[in-house]
Amino acid sequence: MLNHNTLDEILNKYPAKEKRNRKKHILIKNITQENQEIEANTRTIPGIISSRGCAFAGCKGVVLGPLKDVVNIVHGPIGCGYYAWLTRRNKGVSKAPMKNFLPYCVSTDMQESDIVFGGEKKLARTIDEVVQIFQPQAITISATCPVGLIGDDIQAVARSAREKYGINVTAYSCEGYKGVSQSAGHHIANNGLTEHVIGAGDMEEAPQKYTVNILGEYNIGGDGWVIKKMLEELGYHIQAVMTGDGSFEELSNAHVAELNLVQCHRSINYIASMLEVKYGTPWLKINFIGIRSTVEALRSLALYFGERELIERTEDYITRELARIEPQLLPYRRICAGKTAFCYVGGSRGHHYQGLYEELGIETILAGYVFAHRDDYEGRQVIPNIKSDSDSKNIPDLHVAPDENRFRLKLSPERAAELKDKIALSTYAGMIQDMKDGSVIVDDLNHFETEELIRILKPDIFSSGIKDKYVVQKMGIPSKQLHNYDYSGPYAGFEGALNFARDVAMSFASPTWNYIEPPWAHRPLLEGTLVKGDMENA
Amino acid sequence: MLDSTPREIIARTGAVINPAKTCQPIGAMYAALGIHRCLPHSHGSQGCCAYHRSHLTRHFREPVMASTSSFTEGASVFGGSANLKTAIKNVFTLYNPDVIAVHTTCLSETIGDDIPSIIKSAAIPPGKMVIHANTPSYQGSHVTGFSNMTKGMVNYLAEASLENKREQVNILPGFLNPGDMREIKRLTALMGVPFIMFPDTSGSLDSPMSGQFNMFPKGGARVEAIRDSGNSSLTLALGEYAASDPAYQLERKCLVPAVVLRTPIGIQATDALIMALRQHFVAEVPDEIEEERGQLVDIMTDLHYHFHGKKVAIFGDPDIVASLTEMVLSLGMKPVHLLTGTPNTSLGGAQGNFEATVTAMLEDAGLAGRVKAGGDLFELHQWIKNEPVDLLIGNTYGKYIARAEDIPLVRVGFPILDRGVHSYLPVVGYRGALRLMEMIDNALQDRVDRDARDEDLELIM
Ligand code: SF4
Ligand code: SF4
């Protein structure tokens, strides 16, 4: 286990200023201490190798990218758009194959002259060409670093394209230098979608009973499909998924749902809160990763609608699924039992996967997020206490008001109060409360700390992303990527738990680890002829 | 798949759709990893660095370490000098490389940060050094970035310290895999010519599994060697776009004559490399090489009927596509669509002439084809819809076109993200040509087998 002395020894290798900084981002869980504080969502230190990306990655890459029938134009030099092209495994299938734009990367590929004379004209031409070739119902424009600096007014270009073509064109000023990580881009995308897309549709009523949206589910490896199938089997109607396998049409009518389910709190909580204010739709924090979490999610959801028949159907379903899944998990559990994990991912998976690991008998001894905020660690009650700084201030807060025609209180205040005792209604308790005494929580875990903490804590498996993967595996420790699932999945729901168990067990059981040491490493070159002198020295 | 791509081609002046290139810094980062104990540093916002590291990692399946200046809005407005100085201090304290190789990004270029003067005022521990290259992505491509960082090595390191040049050759390999760099070194060693290769990512991006992580693996060109490159009697630049510019810079700076050759993919380009070494250094070609070449020609003739007349589309980096074109022509194939995303010429970039070079090859062979620099995969796909091919050669992004049009794909170039091993084994040299032939042959014959009726399935082909 890590104690404060060993932690200090690690931190002492930093220059003094950096030590003070990093110390606030690392916590050893102490159950006797209430409200342990951690610093998060602050600047990355230049030169310290971190896993974080930029606002553009959070906006275009995470939130907008998965919308399958929307053409996402990247306005900037070629790289940013290129790297955000097909690299995230957000799957999608369109009813009309001509309207699935996921395999397309559209960039304005700014050249020197565009930087010098401005890129607005080229952007406008790009929109013309996109409309001519693809005839989409909606276009997004995401700005990359140089765009803000040279002063291109992408909002104006979007406005005139809206007028010219009568389609939904939105612009996102998500230059990579905004904020301190991907997180800023989530916020910018949330603002744009709330302001210009959600509610643009003309549905007034939910099409059927039990209509919900799923927020913060990006259909990586098909997770969203598993969740959707499960919920539909139970009688729910999914209006929109934000944004995995999402479509413009569905999203523009997302205002009609009775409830918003929130999977990834970090990337989508702004939309959840704004829809509550604007349309009176509460949100429910659920987690469809892990068996117990899935069970709990299904129960909370049934409880929200509160009808006996739905609750019973849910219980039957859970009993059936558990009976089906549990025996199949046993062989994997035998392989995994007693092992330990580091779980360092994104802005919610660092928390979400801990339960699933535990169900396999693997203890999470260190966890953290790349770009989360304090509320993702400590719970939403800390939000009023979070100090804003110059970096967070440059992300505009969108203030919405109740929609005059469409606001409808979905729950009476009494019923809401009653439910709040039972389910995570419009709240999130964060990661720390779920962690064991003595475990370590690290925000923006960097390469140096990773190496040091692995040396001390010796985990059996390390969950993170592609940039750490081979670093860790060179040490002989399996790495399970939890951004892209090592191209496997789905991992959500009951079915997904089984896939995850299979994959994790495979990473332990693979015979390939057995060959790291060559046979000659510990065998003397000459053997069998010991002379007397050697015997005496031995 | 790609159902929205129409057959009809409209001229575009705005959108690039499905690029066949990426930005300069990733090439610069890759090149810098070819210096022993060097940490690449990305001067800009952290997103670029994250993307470049991820992408290189996916291609090589190896750790790719690099740091960044992590600009925030403040740095973007007031300049990144403080960020770079902090970064330099932190990098030397924590990771202790011998060299930091700084490259710029669109952001720091747009701001106009003056890197040399920032480096001059940074605290650099004795014996350590910081070098740099300007790599704005609104010029050229990732290949240009590779070339520019190689040029940075020449600018900062190469010295002509001896009166007379040494009998040794500098080899600038261009943007190739570590497996290719190894093969070129093996051939040069077999020729008995002392050499300095830089950058050299063999041993750095194909390091063995040892149960330990080394931030700075064994491989990479030694700083002393790059210094000594100023004393060599010849520089061979393998690839117009990825290597000629630094070679000419070395010629200007240290008076080392530069000869620009094609990337040694295929028999002709490999012959040219061997001949350049043979004639300049008066070195006999050893039996071993002659045997390898003979084996290659043997197989080429034995299998010519598998290849002859087959139509091919090739895309990727300009130096690689040019050599591949030459190679498939030597097999009697018909390269009809040849495209690179890298612009033909660009400001601040390596000066090549892809379109002229490749068009001349086609003309020599009496063929006509579509040739384009600065193109994209959307257009390539449209070409194929208009004139179908039997085979597509290119990087992983080609798989979408291959599926849409049901044509076999042979993966060559950068990046290959969906298959492994490719970065360990060469496509250069006679052995590499043999490997490429096997890959192409398998792809073509697998397709023949797949499409054959039961009664037409052949045991022997
Ligand atoms: S901003 Fe420029 S350097 Fe950075 S990823 Fe984009 S194109 Fe490449
Ligand atoms: S930091 Fe800026 S330039 Fe780099 S990838 Fe992000 S948006 Fe592009």
Side-chain angles (χ1 to χ4, degrees):
Chain A
M1 261 197 347
L2 189 70
N3 59 41
H4 287 277
N5 292 340
T6 25
L7 178 59
D8 234 45
E9 275 168 35
I10 298 177
L11 295 173
N12 279 338
K13 294 180 187 156
Y14 282 117
K17 191 168 144 223
E18 278 65 33
K19 176 184 172 180
R20 279 197 304 280
N21 178 330
R22 286 305 301 159
K23 202 172 173 152
K24 295 184 232 155
H25 294 262
I26 306 176
L27 199 74
I28 299 173
K29 165 94 180 222
N30 180 347
I31 44 166
T32 63
Q33 217 178 313
E34 249 178 73
N35 306 334
Q36 281 186 290
E37 256 185 48
I38 191 162
E39 193 150 289
N41 193 36
T42 56
R43 284 181 192 184
T44 322
I45 305 166
I48 291 185
I49 300 175
S50 132
S51 292
R52 282 176 164 184
C54 65
F56 164 80
C59 179
K60 194 281 173 184
V62 174
V63 181
L64 303 178
L67 292 167
K68 60 194 172 193
D69 55 357
V70 172
V71 175
N72 294 303
I73 297 175
V74 178
H75 184 39
I78 197 67
C80 324
Y82 169 89
Y83 300 114
W85 172 31
L86 291 170
T87 44
R88 189 155 160 266
R89 305 193 69 231
N90 41 264
K91 294 173 185 275
V93 174
S94 284
K95 277 177 231 120
M98 295 279 287
K99 292 289 174 247
N100 183 348
F101 304 124
L102 292 179
Y104 293 94
C105 161
V106 182
S107 165
T108 54
D109 186 23
M110 288 173 104
Q111 297 299 302
E112 176 114 32
S113 56
D114 305 314
I115 299 287
V116 177
F117 302 110
E120 289 173 21
K121 288 210 183 82
K122 195 170 196 194
L123 176 58
R125 284 205 304 278
T126 299
I127 296 172
D128 292 340
E129 289 163 8
V130 160
V131 171
Q132 193 185 350
I133 294 169
F134 297 114
Q135 292 136 23
Q137 309 170 67
I139 292 174
T140 71
I141 301 159
S142 297
T144 74
C145 280
V147 170
L149 278 189
I150 62 171
D152 274 3
D153 188 350
I154 59 169
Q155 303 295 341
V157 177
R159 248 191 327 271
S160 59
R162 267 200 301 269
E163 282 157 23
K164 185 167 174 190
Y165 294 111
I167 58 171
N168 190 294
V169 184
T170 47
Y172 301 81
S173 301
C174 54
E175 286 86 352
Y177 56 75
K178 298 242 168 102
V180 299
S181 69
Q182 287 94 318
S183 167
H186 303 147
H187 196 165
I188 292 164
N190 277 228
N191 288 351
L193 293 179
T194 307
E195 201 170 0
H196 298 292
V197 179
I198 301 169
D202 42 24
M203 280 168 69
E204 294 301 335
E205 287 297 324
Q208 65 182 70
K209 221 171 153 184
Y210 308 146
T211 294
V212 300
N213 297 319
I214 305 172
L215 276 60
E217 168 49 57
Y218 301 103
N219 204 29
I220 310 301
D223 276 352
W225 288 331
V226 171
I227 298 168
K228 216 170 157 180
K229 185 166 156 252
M230 188 159 61
L231 296 187
E232 281 171 354
E233 215 172 308
L234 285 165
Y236 297 98
H237 172 68
I238 316 299
Q239 172 55 39
V241 182
M242 296 181 206
T243 49
D245 193 29
S247 82
F248 174 75
E249 185 71 34
E250 290 161 4
L251 187 57
S252 64
N253 285 306
H255 58 276
V256 301
E258 305 277 333
L259 175 68
N260 290 319
L261 297 176
V262 172
Q263 173 71 20
C264 172
H265 174 260
R266 180 70 266 134
S267 63
I268 212 92
N269 76 90
Y270 316 94
I271 289 187
S273 306
M274 289 189 279
L275 295 189
E276 181 154 22
V277 175
K278 199 166 173 185
Y279 302 110
T281 322
W283 57 275
L284 179 66
K285 175 71 186 89
I286 42 74
N287 171 23
F288 284 113
I289 299 295
I291 298 172
R292 255 168 305 169
S293 297
T294 302
V295 168
E296 198 190 317
L298 295 178
R299 285 189 176 140
S300 305
L301 186 51
L303 216 56
Y304 173 85
F305 287 102
E307 284 177 34
R308 169 184 290 271
E309 196 244 354
L310 176 66
I311 295 173
E312 280 169 4
R313 197 174 338 136
T314 303
E315 287 306 324
D316 285 351
Y317 178 84
I318 291 170
T319 314
R320 225 171 38 239
E321 283 295 282
L322 290 182
R324 184 172 72 88
I325 294 296
E326 289 286 341
Q328 297 185 62
L329 276 176
L330 284 177
Y332 303 128
R333 277 199 182 122
R334 268 197 290 276
I335 295 172
C336 297
K339 301 235 184 314
T340 58
F342 279 14
C343 194
Y344 175 65
V345 213
S348 63
R349 289 186 188 169
H351 182 195
H352 285 164
Y353 274 81
Q354 293 187 24
L356 183 48
Y357 266 134
E358 197 188 323
E359 284 153 7
L360 298 178
I362 300 172
E363 187 188 337
T364 302
I365 51 175
L366 179 147
Y369 299 122
V370 184
F371 46 72
H373 297 198
R374 275 182 62 196
D375 38 318
D376 304 294
Y377 291 102
E378 301 171 49
R380 274 183 83 91
Q381 74 286 350
V382 301
I383 291 179
N385 311 332
I386 297 178
K387 296 185 285 294
S388 66
D389 58 17
S390 56
D391 298 313
S392 54
K393 273 191 208 128
N394 63 34
I395 315 303
D397 257 320
L398 181 65
H399 294 287
V400 294
D403 188 286
E404 280 177 24
N405 304 317
R406 285 169 166 173
F407 181 89
R408 208 158 47 72
L409 209 54
K410 310 287 189 311
L411 282 181
S412 67
E414 302 77 55
R415 172 93 178 118
E418 185 195 327
L419 276 176
K420 274 192 172 143
D421 291 337
K422 299 181 192 148
I423 61 179
L425 203 60
S426 303
T427 190
Y428 174 42
M431 168 200 281
I432 295 177
Q433 44 94 30
D434 267 345
M435 294 200 62
K436 284 220 178 103
D437 197 35
S439 60
V440 186
I441 296 128
V442 189
D443 175 63
D444 185 20
L445 175 70
N446 59 49
H447 169 76
F448 167 72
E449 289 161 8
T450 300
E451 267 200 78
E452 296 290 312
L453 290 165
I454 286 180
R455 196 170 46 77
I456 293 165
L457 297 173
K458 300 185 174 52
D460 297 300
I461 189 164
F462 188 101
S463 286
S464 66
I466 186 69
K467 294 188 286 295
D468 311 306
K469 181 178 176 81
Y470 300 106
V471 170
V472 174
Q473 292 203 161
K474 284 275 193 244
M475 302 177 192
I477 299 168
S479 152
K480 180 75 211 148
Q481 295 183 75
L482 285 185
H483 293 273
N484 64 29
Y485 301 171
D486 293 298
Y487 326 104
S488 178
Y491 287 162
F494 301 108
E495 205 56 54
L498 207 53
N499 292 337
F500 184 75
R502 179 200 62 212
D503 289 352
V504 168
M506 169 172 74
S507 65
F508 292 131
S510 165
T512 56
W513 299 107
N514 301 336
Y515 303 95
I516 296 177
E517 204 155 79
W520 52 85
H522 294 296
R523 189 124 162 227
L525 191 52
L526 292 173
E527 55 186 8
T529 49
L530 281 179
V531 282
K532 203 161 171 259
D534 283 345
M535 293 281 277
E536 277 160 10
N537 289 338
Chain B
M1 180 52 62
L2 297 174
D3 293 286
S4 312
T5 305
R7 187 174 160 173
E8 186 210 343
I9 300 171
I10 59 159
R12 281 177 277 129
T13 59
V16 162
I17 311 176
N18 297 354
K21 65 166 180 185
T22 181
C23 61
Q24 284 210 41
I26 195 172
M29 185 181 282
Y30 178 50
L33 290 166
I35 303 177
H36 184 57
R37 293 192 59 80
C38 171
L39 191 77
H41 180 86
S42 166
H43 184 55
S45 311
Q46 67 205 7
C48 315
C49 185
Y51 275 141
H52 304 145
R53 288 181 61 207
S54 298
H55 215 64
L56 290 171
T57 304
R58 290 177 184 129
H59 175 84
F60 294 106
R61 296 176 197 262
E62 283 288 297
V64 172
M65 306 311 292
S67 54
T68 154
S69 296
S70 294
F71 278 34
T72 53
E73 184 135 13
S76 309
V77 175
F78 302 112
S81 167
N83 289 50
L84 184 52
K85 284 188 219 159
T86 308
I88 289 172
K89 181 190 73 188
N90 284 333
V91 165
F92 281 126
T93 312
L94 273 187
Y95 312 116
N96 193 30
D98 290 347
V99 186
I100 298 176
V102 180
H103 61 262
T104 54
T105 66
C106 297
L107 180 58
S108 50
E109 284 292 333
T110 307
I111 298 168
D113 274 346
D114 177 5
I115 310 295
S117 55
I118 303 175
I119 293 176
K120 272 200 204 91
S121 59
I124 301 171
K128 306 279 175 180
M129 60 192 314
V130 180
I131 68 173
H132 102 282
N134 287 95
T135 50
S137 306
Y138 41 79
Q139 299 172 339
S141 73
H142 57 292
V143 181
T144 322
F146 185 93
S147 165
N148 281 339
M149 182 50 83
T150 311
K151 196 168 159 185
M153 296 172 197
V154 172
N155 288 338
Y156 279 86
L157 302 173
E159 273 170 29
S161 55
L162 302 176
E163 192 104 332
N164 295 315
K165 295 299 181 197
R166 263 201 250 272
E167 281 299 282
Q168 69 188 17
V169 63
N170 301 323
I171 298 188
L172 311 189
F175 199 133
L176 293 176
N177 280 322
D180 294 314
M181 298 192 188
R182 267 180 209 280
E183 180 65 4
I184 294 167
K185 291 197 289 185
R186 186 184 69 90
L187 286 173
T188 313
L190 277 175
M191 287 296 292
V193 180
F195 62 87
I196 294 167
M197 177 181 277
F198 70 94
D200 176 6
T201 58
S202 63
S204 129
L205 280 161
D206 58 358
S207 71
M209 171 65 120
S210 63
Q212 257 156 24
F213 169 72
N214 293 318
M215 189 146 179
F216 305 107
K218 277 204 319 230
R222 298 306 196 258
V223 168
E224 313 80 68
I226 305 177
R227 245 189 218 120
D228 190 38
S229 70
N231 296 321
S232 299
S233 63
L234 177 70
T235 300
L236 292 179
L238 307 183
E240 271 185 315
Y241 284 85
S244 68
D245 203 26
Y248 290 133
Q249 180 69 358
L250 189 52
E251 187 170 76
R252 281 187 294 268
K253 185 177 177 190
C254 303
L255 303 176
V256 181
V259 171
V260 181
L261 300 175
R262 258 174 217 140
T263 304
I265 294 175
I267 189 159
Q268 282 157 283
T270 306
D271 282 350
L273 170 63
I274 298 297
M275 283 306 281
L277 292 169
R278 179 178 186 270
Q279 301 311 113
H280 185 92
F281 294 97
V282 196
E284 227 16 281
V285 179
D287 287 349
E288 209 172 330
I289 291 185
E290 198 162 316
E291 187 178 36
E292 281 176 22
R293 187 183 186 281
Q295 289 173 327
L296 172 63
V297 181
D298 189 66
I299 281 293
M300 284 170 71
T301 52
D302 289 350
L303 285 181
H304 70 271
Y305 62 96
H306 284 184
F307 299 91
H308 201 93
K310 293 281 187 299
K311 284 189 183 173
V312 202
I314 308 174
F315 73 93
D317 296 344
D319 298 332
I320 311 292
V321 177
S323 294
L324 283 170
T325 305
E326 191 175 61
M327 175 181 171
V328 300
L329 283 169
S330 72
L331 290 166
M333 300 176 88
K334 287 187 176 159
V336 292
H337 307 311
L338 303 150
L339 180 139
T340 180
T342 299
N344 211 35
T345 52
S346 75
L347 274 177
Q351 304 301 312
N353 198 342
F354 174 81
E355 290 180 355
T357 308
V358 174
T359 308
M361 287 176 184
L362 295 183
E363 276 167 8
D364 281 353
L367 294 173
R370 292 177 173 85
V371 179
K372 185 165 182 176
D376 60 28
L377 297 185
F378 188 78
E379 184 166 10
L380 178 72
H381 188 185
Q382 292 183 309
W383 288 354
I384 293 174
K385 278 182 184 294
N386 285 284
E387 182 178 359
V389 291
D390 302 302
L391 179 71
L392 178 62
I393 303 180
N395 63 35
T396 288
Y397 292 96
K399 79 193 275 181
Y400 294 85
I401 299 176
R403 185 185 176 100
E405 302 303 321
D406 193 25
I407 29 181
L409 168 70
V410 168
R411 289 167 175 76
V412 182
F414 175 84
I416 294 175
L417 309 168
D418 58 341
R419 299 288 187 272
V421 192
H422 54 86
S423 58
Y424 290 77
L425 298 177
V427 294
V428 299
Y430 303 117
R431 291 271 181 85
L434 217 49
R435 176 166 168 254
L436 268 177
M437 277 187 65
E438 185 179 32
M439 286 157 64
I440 297 173
D441 193 33
N442 286 343
L444 292 172
Q445 300 316 107
D446 281 350
R447 179 54 56 101
V448 173
D449 283 344
R450 190 199 80 175
D451 293 345
R453 289 174 301 187
D454 280 1
E455 60 273 35
D456 292 329
L457 191 68
E458 299 285 349
L459 176 69
I460 304 153
M461 293 165 84

